[in-house]
Amino acid sequence: MNMSLYRQLFLGLSLLFLLLLAGTAFSQFTTTHDYLVEQQTIEIDNAIHAVGLAISPYVEQDDTVAIESVINAMFDGSLYQKVSLQLLENNTLIERAYPVQPSDAPHWFQHWVNISPVTRQDTLTSGWLQYGKITVTSSPALAYSKLWQSSWQLLTTFIIGFVVGVLTLKLLLDHLVKKPLSQFQQKAHAIADKHFGQPLPTPSTKEFVPLAHAFNQMSAKIEQHFNQQAQEADLLRKRAYQDPESGLNNRRRLLLHMEDWLEQETTGAIVIVKLEAISWLRGKKEYQRAAQLAEKVGHHLKSSASESERLGRLSHSEFIIIQTENAAPIDQDQSSSAMRNLLDQLNHIQAGCSPDGRHPVYGGVIIKHVQSSLNVSALLAQCDNVLSKAQHNPYRFAVIHHQNGQLHKGALLPDAEQQQQMHQPEHLLWGKQQWLDLCLSAIENDNITLSFQMVRDNLQHPVHQEVFAVLKHHEHCYSAHLFIPALNALKQTAKLDRHIIQKAVHYLSLHQTFLAINIAPTSIADTEFIQWLDSFLAEHPVVSQQLIFELPEIAFIDNNAQTRLLCMVLDKHCFTYGIDHFGHHFDSVGYLRQFQPLYVKIDTDFTRQPTDDIQQDALRALLQTAHHRSIKTIATRVEHQPQYQALKTLGIMGFQGHYITNQKEVNHG
């Protein structure tokens, strides 16, 4: 069995310390034993010498009684076992035997340690004459007691010394060996997970200093390499989808957004504005001033646009705003006022870069009321058409309505708008507050059902099911994309997310599957929602391996602190999470260094046309960024076989869409 360096050092030094203490204790025990044996001999010799001096006068007087009294007085005690005195003159023998006194030492100790009685014999003299012989035998009881007490004290000192020594050794090894090794181990795991953090401090142990420096250098180089990869991924995405002058989506990405918008059964509008001054400046080869004007226009549009709007630059002088939000009917007066304000603001920006007033700003609006038969090519043609009409309009803008495959052209008049709205479905006329009231009522009456869409890996094995909310009202079902924008705009998504989480947990109690639930950005920003989720997850630990939370990428960029708090709550209760719309924003995907999601779902802008070379390069960069952190990648809206095969070849690990599985509604309420 392999043993760690720390354990080897600890056991080896502890054993060495134990042997050292044991050797010292044995030496001390032997010395004490020999001393007590020698002490018995010395005491007997002293006693014999003293008794000789004491009885000399009585021997000369032949006073036997006095002699016996002296012997009794001097040898009566526990130090002696037997005393005999033989007087030579009259051959008298005086003997005294003393009872063996009990010893404090246990019998096993007396049996294990041998202290034999000492017998000494000496001749008593007076001048040159010998008058007797005395024999004294010692009692070992006192020696055993003294040796036992000394041994007990020695053992206590040995144990205390060993414990103190081992603890001191452990503290030293923890500080000098274990702590640096643990730091190296944690740093190695962190580097493997692409979590670089602060450099290692200089260890106290000299031998570990070069190793710490090597780890820090390796971490710095890998972090630099990762940052370079993230920058390359950002650069490729920007080259593929971002206009370099305005910072807005370029024509390629704008067309993707248009296609996506036309496929949705929602109302909305496209606002297109044209600044002919940009073309005029470019014609005069004043490219720097033209780029400066485009940059200011892009900055203004980004600062004034809402989160649901998509911005882009269609050509050098044309800019587009796709208003995808359908949470409220289009208000005629507000639209007219907003359009005039936008044109005035852009005209002011243009005047700062191009004082020539012969190039006014004009624009148009194309309104889609229901699902239409327009395709992207037809929509671009309508953009040219509305700009042509706006150019000859005194208000510098025009409007085109598209409904049921029919185009209706005209000015923005309330009566005309009301006539258009008469033919629209009822739910398209509902405003944000109406959607909110309807959702709250549906939550209270449990009229929110769940539908699911399967995610499969590249071997067609099920991975998990994404949960979608369906609102039932008057025997009609409304998908989440119809009412979620209204709740987002009013920042009232938390109650709906709570309800969906509760229904999903109930569903998991009845079915063995894996579910992924989307959490809205406004819910993540709600601290009360995070507190509720903390308590709710603590009450349902059994579903921690089955329930996955999907967090939108925008939350990691715009609300990093709240998103980090939510991820800490999920990690605390052993729940996992994924990132939705990965790569959608032009901001660096370097935020992945701070988080460790289970998977990322690639934004559909990168997966819609995977055979395009430029799109492939950007997609590969995103995949490489995720794969280097061991994060699973999933493609959504996979609709057909060529798209699936192309994505699979590029290394996508999971797939979701109508080509993978058909969505089915499940009602368990």
Side-chain angles (χ1 to χ4, degrees), residues 330-473:
I330 299 172
D331 184 270
Q332 201 73 38
D333 294 333
Q334 291 181 0
S335 299
S336 301
S337 177
M339 191 66 187
R340 290 192 182 96
N341 289 336
L342 176 62
L343 294 178
D344 290 340
Q345 293 165 359
L346 294 180
N347 196 41
H348 178 73
I349 293 173
Q350 176 180 273
C353 297
S354 175
D356 194 335
R358 295 174 300 172
H359 307 290
V361 180
Y362 53 91
V365 181
I366 301 173
I367 299 175
K368 184 185 74 166
H369 294 277
V370 292
Q371 184 178 12
S372 67
S373 58
L374 274 178
N375 55 29
V376 175
S377 299
L379 183 60
L380 293 176
Q382 294 306 318
C383 289
D384 294 336
N385 188 14
V386 76
L387 286 178
S388 177
K389 292 184 176 297
Q391 193 172 8
H392 300 89
N393 189 296
Y395 296 106
R396 294 176 294 158
F397 70 92
V399 178
I400 292 180
H401 295 269
H402 190 272
Q403 179 179 356
N404 296 329
Q406 301 295 324
L407 291 175
H408 303 270
K409 307 171 185 178
L412 290 172
L413 300 175
D415 293 340
E417 179 62 23
Q418 292 174 6
Q419 185 178 4
Q420 296 296 331
Q421 291 181 1
M422 289 175 60
H423 302 285
Q424 297 184 52
E426 180 186 7
H427 71 271
L428 296 179
L429 303 178
W430 292 342
K432 296 183 181 68
Q433 190 61 45
Q434 288 175 286
W435 277 117
L436 175 60
D437 295 340
L438 185 61
C439 285
L440 295 178
S441 175
I443 291 172
E444 183 178 354
N445 298 314
D446 198 18
N447 285 330
I448 299 289
T449 61
L450 305 181
S451 65
F452 306 89
Q453 191 175 56
M454 182 66 69
V455 176
R456 299 183 183 274
D457 61 17
N458 49 17
L459 298 177
Q460 294 295 313
H461 296 151
V463 177
H464 66 257
Q465 298 181 86
E466 183 173 352
V467 177
F468 297 93
V470 178
L471 188 152
K472 287 190 173 183
H473 178 66

Side-chain angles (χ1 to χ4, degrees), residues 146-159:
K146 293 292 185 181
L147 186 59
W148 169 250
Q149 294 175 3
S150 176
S151 299
W152 182 253
Q153 293 174 356
L154 184 62
L155 179 63
T156 304
T157 304
F158 175 86
I159 293 175

